[in-house]
Amino acid sequence: MSTLTLLAAVILSVPDESLAGQLRAAIWDDLQRNAMIGNGNGLAASWYLAGEEESRPPRLRIQALDCIEIRAGQRCSFTLWREDGLRRVLGKVAPDRLSCRAQFVREQQAGEWSVLHRPPRRAGHSRTDMPCRVAAVA
């Protein structure tokens, strides 16, 4: 396999709409679970929870979903964006835009996609494999 062919195989691409919808559903599920129990992504939890107690809840979006197929499933990068800007949660300002990546696996029994989770470090809940950082605004 030539180097150019190998590079072309690794380039991120937008998944077809059916797969993209399933992956977005897995992201929302992981964000909700992380916000409820805190399973390793405090930044994403604050992004998700910020402004939810206000009279007009914020509008949350997943943008720029780019994926590559790997042996274990899908590895994707994406942006989480809150339309209404910076918000406060638990007395701190939560960012309005996060850059994230995640590995997705297909659940054997249900056949649905989910964000990969790792075992707890000691005791407690599994840890999400969806790291995020504050995204630079272009």
Side-chain angles (χ1 to χ4, degrees):
M1 189 182 253
S2 74
T3 304
L4 187 56
T5 306
L6 184 58
L7 286 174
V10 175
I11 293 174
L12 293 172
S13 63
V14 177
D16 67 62
E17 192 50 43
S18 174
L19 175 58
Q22 293 174 51
L23 297 175
R24 283 191 295 270
I27 293 167
W28 290 125
D29 180 64
D30 198 67
L31 286 166
Q32 184 177 38
R33 185 182 328 172
N34 183 54
M36 286 187 335
I37 64 174
N39 64 354
N41 193 338
L43 188 59
S46 69
W47 175 86
Y48 185 79
L49 293 171
E52 78 170 359
E53 295 180 359
E54 296 177 13
S55 60
R56 194 178 109 230
R59 294 170 54 113
L60 306 177
R61 305 265 188 239
I62 299 170
Q63 297 179 316
L65 180 65
D66 291 316
C67 302
I68 58 172
E69 187 172 347
I70 59 174
R71 186 178 315 157
Q74 296 281 330
R75 183 172 295 138
C76 304
S77 64
F78 50 92
T79 300
L80 300 176
W81 177 53
R82 186 176 45 259
E83 282 187 14
D84 300 326
L86 299 174
R87 297 287 184 100
R88 297 187 75 73
V89 63
L90 301 174
K92 295 182 181 179
V93 175
D96 61 348
R97 192 177 304 263
L98 300 178
S99 176
C100 306
R101 65 185 199 292
Q103 182 172 333
F104 297 87
V105 294
R106 192 179 286 277
E107 296 294 326
Q108 299 231 351
Q109 293 176 345
E112 297 175 353
W113 289 95
S114 66
V115 173
L116 177 67
H117 277 239
R118 308 236 181 242
R121 284 198 160 79
R122 291 182 187 87
H125 302 287
S126 65
R127 295 175 291 129
T128 184
D129 194 44
M130 186 173 73
C132 296
R133 59 182 170 76
V134 176
V137 178

